[in-house]
Amino acid sequence: APTKRLTIGADGNSTFAGNIVIGTAGKGISFAATSDGGISTPSELLDDYEEGTWTPVITFVSGTTAFHSGSVLGQYTLVGRKVTLFCEFAVSNLDGASNNTLRIDGMPFNVTSATASCGYGTIPITGKTVNFSRTSNTRFSGNLADGGFAGIAHGSDASQSRTVVCLMYHI
């Protein structure tokens, strides 16, 4: 007996028993029939989606930094041209980092739009927020308005020194 793999209901909704696979480059899910209220859009085609991990490279402009072993983690989601990154790290020693600039390098995709990039981070020990901006196609830099980052180092207890950052940009 045949196995039902696709059902099209009377309401027009389709149900698939497996994945929908886009087998041709440049093809995807078109939203061209949606009303845009007179706004001009260059594309209404969703043609890419990806999730994965990446290895952030965390540096401070000055001083030396030691991280807890295995503490630098990164995850990303790509939807169309929009990349959302999550980065988490724990600092065990921050010696001489008097400058207030934190750099995150090693983006999984190059940043191509300076106007569509932003980020923020939270330092749990101090409760401070770090605002990030794109400083190159592969780097975001974050600054604290009130001084250096010395307060984020917390010796051997990684659970108390985790800093979490979210970055968003377009490719």
Side-chain angles (χ1 to χ4, degrees):
T3 302
K4 187 179 355 179
R5 301 284 183 197
L6 169 65
T7 303
I8 301 175
D11 58 1
N13 291 331
S14 302
T15 304
F16 297 87
N19 293 327
I20 297 173
V21 177
I22 309 298
T24 304
K27 301 295 181 186
I29 301 170
S30 175
F31 294 94
T34 60
S35 173
D36 297 322
I39 298 172
S40 174
T41 58
S43 177
E44 293 187 350
L45 185 69
L46 177 59
D47 61 354
D48 203 355
Y49 179 87
E50 185 178 328
E51 293 179 356
T53 60
W54 63 292
T55 304
V57 178
I58 311 293
T59 57
F60 292 83
V61 170
S62 65
T64 58
T65 308
F67 294 95
H68 289 282
S69 176
S71 71
V72 181
L73 309 169
Q75 296 178 330
Y76 71 87
T77 302
L78 169 69
V79 178
R81 293 181 48 230
K82 181 182 175 184
V83 180
T84 303
L85 302 176
F86 294 95
C87 170
E88 186 175 344
F89 59 93
V91 177
S92 60
N93 183 30
L94 192 55
D95 183 21
S98 59
N99 191 293
N100 65 345
T101 300
L102 164 68
R103 293 179 176 160
I104 301 177
D105 289 289
M107 305 301 148
F109 307 95
N110 280 352
V111 181
T112 58
S113 176
T115 59
S117 57
C118 63
Y120 64 91
T122 301
I123 301 172
I125 292 174
T126 62
K128 295 179 182 176
T129 298
V130 183
N131 294 313
F132 286 88
S133 61
R134 169 192 173 265
T135 52
S136 77
N137 287 348
T138 59
R139 172 181 290 159
F140 277 79
S141 295
N143 294 288
L144 283 175
D146 59 350
F149 284 91
I152 72 171
H154 201 276
S156 61
D157 189 353
S159 67
Q160 293 187 26
S161 61
R162 303 218 57 84
T163 296
V164 179
V165 175
C166 177
L167 303 169
M168 293 174 279
Y169 62 93
H170 283 158
I171 59 172

PDB file of all heavy atoms in Angstrom, residues 74-98:
ATOM      1  N   GLY A  74      30.374  29.942  21.238  1.00  0.00           N
ATOM      2  CA  GLY A  74      29.609  30.769  20.321  1.00  0.00           C
ATOM      3  C   GLY A  74      28.600  29.956  19.539  1.00  0.00           C
ATOM      4  O   GLY A  74      28.872  28.819  19.151  1.00  0.00           O
ATOM      5  N   GLN A  75      27.437  30.526  19.323  1.00  0.00           N
ATOM      6  CA  GLN A  75      26.390  29.922  18.496  1.00  0.00           C
ATOM      7  C   GLN A  75      25.868  30.992  17.555  1.00  0.00           C
ATOM      8  O   GLN A  75      25.887  32.174  17.880  1.00  0.00           O
ATOM      9  CB  GLN A  75      25.233  29.403  19.346  1.00  0.00           C
ATOM     10  CG  GLN A  75      25.605  28.286  20.271  1.00  0.00           C
ATOM     11  CD  GLN A  75      24.422  27.850  21.121  1.00  0.00           C
ATOM     12  OE1 GLN A  75      23.543  28.645  21.441  1.00  0.00           O
ATOM     13  NE2 GLN A  75      24.398  26.594  21.482  1.00  0.00           N
ATOM     14  N   TYR A  76      25.388  30.566  16.379  1.00  0.00           N
ATOM     15  CA  TYR A  76      24.836  31.526  15.439  1.00  0.00           C
ATOM     16  C   TYR A  76      23.601  30.967  14.765  1.00  0.00           C
ATOM     17  O   TYR A  76      23.389  29.759  14.694  1.00  0.00           O
ATOM     18  CB  TYR A  76      25.864  31.935  14.371  1.00  0.00           C
ATOM     19  CG  TYR A  76      26.171  30.851  13.368  1.00  0.00           C
ATOM     20  CD1 TYR A  76      25.392  30.694  12.220  1.00  0.00           C
ATOM     21  CD2 TYR A  76      27.238  29.983  13.560  1.00  0.00           C
ATOM     22  CE1 TYR A  76      25.676  29.695  11.302  1.00  0.00           C
ATOM     23  CE2 TYR A  76      27.527  28.989  12.652  1.00  0.00           C
ATOM     24  CZ  TYR A  76      26.746  28.854  11.524  1.00  0.00           C
ATOM     25  OH  TYR A  76      27.018  27.856  10.621  1.00  0.00           O
ATOM     26  N   THR A  77      22.772  31.886  14.270  1.00  0.00           N
ATOM     27  CA  THR A  77      21.624  31.562  13.425  1.00  0.00           C
ATOM     28  C   THR A  77      21.654  32.532  12.259  1.00  0.00           C
ATOM     29  O   THR A  77      21.753  33.748  12.452  1.00  0.00           O
ATOM     30  CB  THR A  77      20.293  31.702  14.185  1.00  0.00           C
ATOM     31  OG1 THR A  77      20.321  30.854  15.334  1.00  0.00           O
ATOM     32  CG2 THR A  77      19.114  31.309  13.300  1.00  0.00           C
ATOM     33  N   LEU A  78      21.574  31.995  11.053  1.00  0.00           N
ATOM     34  CA  LEU A  78      21.514  32.782   9.828  1.00  0.00           C
ATOM     35  C   LEU A  78      20.134  32.586   9.226  1.00  0.00           C
ATOM     36  O   LEU A  78      19.711  31.457   8.986  1.00  0.00           O
ATOM     37  CB  LEU A  78      22.587  32.318   8.834  1.00  0.00           C
ATOM     38  CG  LEU A  78      22.493  32.848   7.409  1.00  0.00           C
ATOM     39  CD1 LEU A  78      22.810  34.335   7.370  1.00  0.00           C
ATOM     40  CD2 LEU A  78      23.433  32.069   6.499  1.00  0.00           C
ATOM     41  N   VAL A  79      19.405  33.687   9.027  1.00  0.00           N
ATOM     42  CA  VAL A  79      18.104  33.654   8.361  1.00  0.00           C
ATOM     43  C   VAL A  79      18.181  34.668   7.230  1.00  0.00           C
ATOM     44  O   VAL A  79      18.258  35.877   7.486  1.00  0.00           O
ATOM     45  CB  VAL A  79      16.945  34.001   9.314  1.00  0.00           C
ATOM     46  CG1 VAL A  79      15.614  33.992   8.566  1.00  0.00           C
ATOM     47  CG2 VAL A  79      16.907  33.049  10.496  1.00  0.00           C
ATOM     48  N   GLY A  80      18.171  34.182   5.997  1.00  0.00           N
ATOM     49  CA  GLY A  80      18.356  35.083   4.861  1.00  0.00           C
ATOM     50  C   GLY A  80      19.724  35.719   4.941  1.00  0.00           C
ATOM     51  O   GLY A  80      20.738  35.043   4.927  1.00  0.00           O
ATOM     52  N   ARG A  81      19.764  37.053   5.079  1.00  0.00           N
ATOM     53  CA  ARG A  81      21.029  37.782   5.223  1.00  0.00           C
ATOM     54  C   ARG A  81      21.311  38.195   6.661  1.00  0.00           C
ATOM     55  O   ARG A  81      22.354  38.775   6.956  1.00  0.00           O
ATOM     56  CB  ARG A  81      21.000  39.042   4.354  1.00  0.00           C
ATOM     57  CG  ARG A  81      20.980  38.775   2.872  1.00  0.00           C
ATOM     58  CD  ARG A  81      20.983  40.068   2.048  1.00  0.00           C
ATOM     59  NE  ARG A  81      22.005  40.992   2.502  1.00  0.00           N
ATOM     60  CZ  ARG A  81      21.787  42.286   2.784  1.00  0.00           C
ATOM     61  NH1 ARG A  81      20.585  42.806   2.666  1.00  0.00           N
ATOM     62  NH2 ARG A  81      22.769  43.064   3.180  1.00  0.00           N
ATOM     63  N   LYS A  82      20.403  37.921   7.591  1.00  0.00           N
ATOM     64  CA  LYS A  82      20.562  38.357   8.978  1.00  0.00           C
ATOM     65  C   LYS A  82      21.256  37.283   9.806  1.00  0.00           C
ATOM     66  O   LYS A  82      20.810  36.140   9.869  1.00  0.00           O
ATOM     67  CB  LYS A  82      19.207  38.677   9.601  1.00  0.00           C
ATOM     68  CG  LYS A  82      19.299  39.153  11.032  1.00  0.00           C
ATOM     69  CD  LYS A  82      17.938  39.401  11.599  1.00  0.00           C
ATOM     70  CE  LYS A  82      18.026  39.752  13.072  1.00  0.00           C
ATOM     71  NZ  LYS A  82      16.706  39.910  13.653  1.00  0.00           N
ATOM     72  N   VAL A  83      22.336  37.672  10.473  1.00  0.00           N
ATOM     73  CA  VAL A  83      23.090  36.769  11.348  1.00  0.00           C
ATOM     74  C   VAL A  83      22.876  37.221  12.782  1.00  0.00           C
ATOM     75  O   VAL A  83      23.026  38.407  13.100  1.00  0.00           O
ATOM     76  CB  VAL A  83      24.601  36.796  11.022  1.00  0.00           C
ATOM     77  CG1 VAL A  83      25.370  35.855  11.943  1.00  0.00           C
ATOM     78  CG2 VAL A  83      24.848  36.426   9.566  1.00  0.00           C
ATOM     79  N   THR A  84      22.520  36.301  13.651  1.00  0.00           N
ATOM     80  CA  THR A  84      22.428  36.561  15.080  1.00  0.00           C
ATOM     81  C   THR A  84      23.443  35.666  15.769  1.00  0.00           C
ATOM     82  O   THR A  84      23.411  34.446  15.609  1.00  0.00           O
ATOM     83  CB  THR A  84      21.014  36.271  15.616  1.00  0.00           C
ATOM     84  OG1 THR A  84      20.066  37.054  14.879  1.00  0.00           O
ATOM     85  CG2 THR A  84      20.909  36.612  17.097  1.00  0.00           C
ATOM     86  N   LEU A  85      24.362  36.279  16.518  1.00  0.00           N
ATOM     87  CA  LEU A  85      25.415  35.539  17.217  1.00  0.00           C
ATOM     88  C   LEU A  85      25.205  35.621  18.718  1.00  0.00           C
ATOM     89  O   LEU A  85      24.825  36.677  19.237  1.00  0.00           O
ATOM     90  CB  LEU A  85      26.790  36.143  16.917  1.00  0.00           C
ATOM     91  CG  LEU A  85      27.251  36.240  15.484  1.00  0.00           C
ATOM     92  CD1 LEU A  85      28.583  36.966  15.431  1.00  0.00           C
ATOM     93  CD2 LEU A  85      27.382  34.866  14.890  1.00  0.00           C
ATOM     94  N   PHE A  86      25.484  34.527  19.385  1.00  0.00           N
ATOM     95  CA  PHE A  86      25.546  34.517  20.837  1.00  0.00           C
ATOM     96  C   PHE A  86      26.951  34.077  21.212  1.00  0.00           C
ATOM     97  O   PHE A  86      27.484  33.134  20.644  1.00  0.00           O
ATOM     98  CB  PHE A  86      24.502  33.568  21.437  1.00  0.00           C
ATOM     99  CG  PHE A  86      23.103  34.026  21.191  1.00  0.00           C
ATOM    100  CD1 PHE A  86      22.387  33.539  20.123  1.00  0.00           C
ATOM    101  CD2 PHE A  86      22.520  34.968  22.019  1.00  0.00           C
ATOM    102  CE1 PHE A  86      21.100  33.981  19.871  1.00  0.00           C
ATOM    103  CE2 PHE A  86      21.228  35.421  21.780  1.00  0.00           C
ATOM    104  CZ  PHE A  86      20.522  34.917  20.701  1.00  0.00           C
ATOM    105  N   CYS A  87      27.539  34.787  22.140  1.00  0.00           N
ATOM    106  CA  CYS A  87      28.900  34.522  22.565  1.00  0.00           C
ATOM    107  C   CYS A  87      28.915  34.533  24.086  1.00  0.00           C
ATOM    108  O   CYS A  87      28.314  35.402  24.712  1.00  0.00           O
ATOM    109  CB  CYS A  87      29.800  35.619  21.996  1.00  0.00           C
ATOM    110  SG  CYS A  87      31.461  35.646  22.629  1.00  0.00           S
ATOM    111  N   GLU A  88      29.585  33.585  24.663  1.00  0.00           N
ATOM    112  CA  GLU A  88      29.667  33.500  26.114  1.00  0.00           C
ATOM    113  C   GLU A  88      31.106  33.179  26.486  1.00  0.00           C
ATOM    114  O   GLU A  88      31.738  32.325  25.876  1.00  0.00           O
ATOM    115  CB  GLU A  88      28.722  32.408  26.616  1.00  0.00           C
ATOM    116  CG  GLU A  88      28.607  32.312  28.109  1.00  0.00           C
ATOM    117  CD  GLU A  88      27.569  31.284  28.526  1.00  0.00           C
ATOM    118  OE1 GLU A  88      26.743  30.866  27.701  1.00  0.00           O
ATOM    119  OE2 GLU A  88      27.615  30.888  29.702  1.00  0.00           O
ATOM    120  N   PHE A  89      31.628  33.888  27.478  1.00  0.00           N
ATOM    121  CA  PHE A  89      33.001  33.621  27.910  1.00  0.00           C
ATOM    122  C   PHE A  89      33.149  33.939  29.388  1.00  0.00           C
ATOM    123  O   PHE A  89      32.354  34.678  29.970  1.00  0.00           O
ATOM    124  CB  PHE A  89      34.018  34.412  27.067  1.00  0.00           C
ATOM    125  CG  PHE A  89      33.832  35.900  27.104  1.00  0.00           C
ATOM    126  CD1 PHE A  89      34.519  36.671  28.024  1.00  0.00           C
ATOM    127  CD2 PHE A  89      32.989  36.525  26.204  1.00  0.00           C
ATOM    128  CE1 PHE A  89      34.354  38.043  28.055  1.00  0.00           C
ATOM    129  CE2 PHE A  89      32.824  37.902  26.216  1.00  0.00           C
ATOM    130  CZ  PHE A  89      33.509  38.662  27.148  1.00  0.00           C
ATOM    131  N   ALA A  90      34.171  33.352  30.000  1.00  0.00           N
ATOM    132  CA  ALA A  90      34.457  33.576  31.416  1.00  0.00           C
ATOM    133  C   ALA A  90      35.929  33.930  31.564  1.00  0.00           C
ATOM    134  O   ALA A  90      36.799  33.188  31.130  1.00  0.00           O
ATOM    135  CB  ALA A  90      34.119  32.334  32.238  1.00  0.00           C
ATOM    136  N   VAL A  91      36.189  35.071  32.164  1.00  0.00           N
ATOM    137  CA  VAL A  91      37.553  35.559  32.348  1.00  0.00           C
ATOM    138  C   VAL A  91      38.031  35.183  33.742  1.00  0.00           C
ATOM    139  O   VAL A  91      37.348  35.430  34.725  1.00  0.00           O
ATOM    140  CB  VAL A  91      37.588  37.095  32.171  1.00  0.00           C
ATOM    141  CG1 VAL A  91      38.978  37.634  32.423  1.00  0.00           C
ATOM    142  CG2 VAL A  91      37.106  37.476  30.784  1.00  0.00           C
ATOM    143  N   SER A  92      39.218  34.554  33.806  1.00  0.00           N
ATOM    144  CA  SER A  92      39.776  34.216  35.111  1.00  0.00           C
ATOM    145  C   SER A  92      40.840  35.212  35.547  1.00  0.00           C
ATOM    146  O   SER A  92      41.102  35.367  36.730  1.00  0.00           O
ATOM    147  CB  SER A  92      40.362  32.801  35.094  1.00  0.00           C
ATOM    148  OG  SER A  92      41.387  32.701  34.124  1.00  0.00           O
ATOM    149  N   ASN A  93      41.483  35.904  34.591  1.00  0.00           N
ATOM    150  CA  ASN A  93      42.511  36.873  34.937  1.00  0.00           C
ATOM    151  C   ASN A  93      42.532  37.974  33.897  1.00  0.00           C
ATOM    152  O   ASN A  93      42.594  37.708  32.706  1.00  0.00           O
ATOM    153  CB  ASN A  93      43.878  36.190  35.000  1.00  0.00           C
ATOM    154  CG  ASN A  93      44.968  37.146  35.422  1.00  0.00           C
ATOM    155  OD1 ASN A  93      44.717  38.085  36.171  1.00  0.00           O
ATOM    156  ND2 ASN A  93      46.170  36.926  34.935  1.00  0.00           N
ATOM    157  N   LEU A  94      42.479  39.179  34.351  1.00  0.00           N
ATOM    158  CA  LEU A  94      42.520  40.332  33.467  1.00  0.00           C
ATOM    159  C   LEU A  94      43.573  41.269  34.032  1.00  0.00           C
ATOM    160  O   LEU A  94      43.311  42.039  34.937  1.00  0.00           O
ATOM    161  CB  LEU A  94      41.143  40.992  33.436  1.00  0.00           C
ATOM    162  CG  LEU A  94      40.866  42.029  32.380  1.00  0.00           C
ATOM    163  CD1 LEU A  94      41.131  41.472  30.987  1.00  0.00           C
ATOM    164  CD2 LEU A  94      39.415  42.473  32.469  1.00  0.00           C
ATOM    165  N   ASP A  95      44.789  41.160  33.520  1.00  0.00           N
ATOM    166  CA  ASP A  95      45.924  41.879  34.074  1.00  0.00           C
ATOM    167  C   ASP A  95      46.272  43.067  33.196  1.00  0.00           C
ATOM    168  O   ASP A  95      46.692  42.911  32.052  1.00  0.00           O
ATOM    169  CB  ASP A  95      47.120  40.930  34.178  1.00  0.00           C
ATOM    170  CG  ASP A  95      48.312  41.591  34.826  1.00  0.00           C
ATOM    171  OD1 ASP A  95      48.120  42.600  35.526  1.00  0.00           O
ATOM    172  OD2 ASP A  95      49.429  41.102  34.621  1.00  0.00           O
ATOM    173  N   GLY A  96      46.101  44.252  33.708  1.00  0.00           N
ATOM    174  CA  GLY A  96      46.507  45.454  32.993  1.00  0.00           C
ATOM    175  C   GLY A  96      45.544  45.912  31.915  1.00  0.00           C
ATOM    176  O   GLY A  96      45.910  46.724  31.078  1.00  0.00           O
ATOM    177  N   ALA A  97      44.339  45.417  31.888  1.00  0.00           N
ATOM    178  CA  ALA A  97      43.371  45.830  30.865  1.00  0.00           C
ATOM    179  C   ALA A  97      42.699  47.124  31.308  1.00  0.00           C
ATOM    180  O   ALA A  97      41.555  47.154  31.704  1.00  0.00           O
ATOM    181  CB  ALA A  97      42.349  44.742  30.618  1.00  0.00           C
ATOM    182  N   SER A  98      43.455  48.188  31.241  1.00  0.00           N
ATOM    183  CA  SER A  98      42.924  49.478  31.692  1.00  0.00           C
ATOM    184  C   SER A  98      42.077  50.141  30.623  1.00  0.00           C
ATOM    185  O   SER A  98      41.255  50.994  30.916  1.00  0.00           O
ATOM    186  CB  SER A  98      44.069  50.400  32.099  1.00  0.00           C
ATOM    187  OG  SER A  98      44.939  50.580  30.990  1.00  0.00           O
TER     188      SER A  98
END
